[in-house]
Amino acid sequence: MKDIRAERDAESRVPEVRTAPETPGTGGAEDRPYPAQRSAMSDADADPGRNAGGTGREAAGGVQSVERAFRVLEILADARGEVPLAEIARSAGLAQPTAHRLLQTMLRLGYVRQLDSRGYALGPGLIHLGSRATPPLVQRAQPVMVELEEVARETVNLAVLDGDHVAYVGQVPSRHQMRMFTEVGRRVLPHSAGVGKAILSTLPEVRVREIIAGTGMPRFTPTTITEPEALLADLREARRRGFAVDDGEREVGVRCVAVPVPGSSPAAALSISGPSARINDELAATITDALLAAAARLAVDA
């Protein structure tokens, strides 16, 4: 498509064939920069919000015990099942008595449970917290996202701005056996994701510069935009046409189209992702039209 509709590609997440089990900031496939640029990636991007490896060094302005507790929760989340104390302590870089005290505290609070095998797993108390953390937009968007998947037959995502990152808060997976998949709750850097660029396109450029100055712009693939001025130019174009494009900028071979949800708070975006081989120019145009219509519907009560 050589006209404006030719720009209507699609977004990236991992074919399912999904990335290794990930939770926000665990440094899975989406958080690995392209090898030539690995040194450009900050510790905050590899492990946003906590010390890498749980080595006991307290982050500036942070509380060490809180950081350790969340590191333990993330280890349990990654495991998708039970984990023995020794493995938790090793993965978190903690002494076993320290890990045991943290686990016993969270066990009493209901955020961790202990199984008959004496291993640990996430507790039901987190379900309550997670439901309270979900933006109201998610519930309203769910039927709209189902409709979008029926049109595109590709994965539909809803994401919101979360500090200097973008967090995935809703998803309707594609019906295809090979599909894009990003775990709900995952946080990513915005400069290379379709939803991230769609959201950034709604912000003042001063704010965009602040965000990328704090996060950096690591390279995830050969086509990732890594220069601030190039990103700002791309965002201006996204703002002009009403949608953002990610063509293999986060995952090689994956396309995405994303649109901001007008008036949403926090700032939000809808996207449709799929393999480049399936999302040709004709489908990309259809996807874009459907996304723009869906975002307009959600904007009424945003």
Side-chain angles (χ1 to χ4, degrees):
M1 217 181 315
K2 299 300 183 182
D3 57 7
I4 279 188
R5 295 165 77 89
E7 301 165 325
R8 302 176 177 180
D9 298 327
E11 174 171 347
S12 101
R13 275 337 37 97
V14 135
E16 200 173 40
V17 181
R18 46 201 268 175
T19 48
E22 300 169 24
T23 51
T26 56
E30 283 204 324
D31 287 324
R32 296 191 191 111
Y34 194 60
Q37 293 291 323
R38 179 171 292 277
S39 61
M41 183 179 183
S42 68
D43 287 344
D45 184 38
D47 262 355
R50 70 168 187 268
N51 274 335
T55 56
R57 294 171 297 150
E58 187 173 356
V63 178
Q64 188 180 66
S65 58
V66 174
E67 291 176 350
R68 288 173 168 177
F70 276 96
R71 174 60 178 150
V72 168
L73 289 174
E74 289 170 350
I75 289 168
L76 295 176
D78 282 353
R80 300 172 182 269
E82 64 177 289
V83 188
L85 172 62
E87 177 62 21
I88 294 170
R90 186 194 65 77
S91 298
L94 300 172
Q96 284 198 34
T98 301
H100 184 261
R101 287 195 299 272
L102 290 171
L103 286 162
Q104 290 303 304
T105 300
M106 290 188 284
L107 183 65
R108 289 195 300 271
L109 295 171
Y111 300 136
V112 162
R113 56 194 173 94
Q114 190 169 26
L115 308 180
D116 292 340
S117 64
R118 308 303 294 168
Y120 294 88
L122 295 179
L126 293 171
I127 299 174
H128 175 71
L129 286 182
S131 65
R132 295 300 180 92
T134 303
L137 178 62
V138 176
Q139 185 174 359
R140 293 195 298 105
Q142 189 64 24
V144 176
M145 295 169 68
V146 170
E147 293 175 14
L148 286 171
E149 194 280 333
E150 290 174 351
V151 170
R153 296 177 177 259
E154 299 292 351
T155 298
V156 183
N157 288 303
L158 176 67
V160 298
L161 185 64
D162 181 18
D164 289 348
H165 286 65
V166 170
Y168 288 86
V169 294
Q171 183 179 94
V172 175
S174 167
R175 64 193 65 190
H176 290 294
Q177 188 171 10
M178 175 70 77
R179 58 184 179 265
M180 303 304 105
F181 181 87
T182 297
E183 291 181 343
V184 171
R186 180 159 174 72
R187 298 170 75 241
V188 300
L189 297 181
H191 72 286
S192 62
V195 286
K197 293 200 291 182
I199 290 173
L200 291 181
S201 73
T202 69
L203 303 180
E205 290 192 358
V206 172
R207 175 62 182 135
V208 174
R209 289 184 184 276
E210 289 175 352
I211 289 173
I212 59 180
T215 63
M217 299 178 65
R219 185 182 298 280
F220 295 97
T221 75
T223 59
T224 304
I225 299 174
T226 59
E227 296 297 329
E229 295 307 319
L231 177 64
L232 290 170
D234 189 69
L235 297 179
R236 293 183 197 114
E237 180 62 12
R239 189 180 306 117
R240 180 192 67 78
R241 65 194 178 193
F243 63 91
V245 172
D246 162 14
D247 197 352
E249 294 166 42
R250 192 158 196 93
E251 296 286 345
V252 174
V254 178
R255 283 180 145 182
C256 161
V257 117
V259 302
V261 178
S264 57
S265 180
L270 279 168
S271 72
I272 295 177
S273 308
S276 301
R278 283 205 305 258
I279 300 184
N280 54 28
D281 291 344
E282 182 179 358
L283 180 57
T286 300
I287 284 173
T288 303
D289 292 339
L291 280 168
L292 290 169
R297 287 169 58 189
L298 293 175
V300 174
D301 299 317

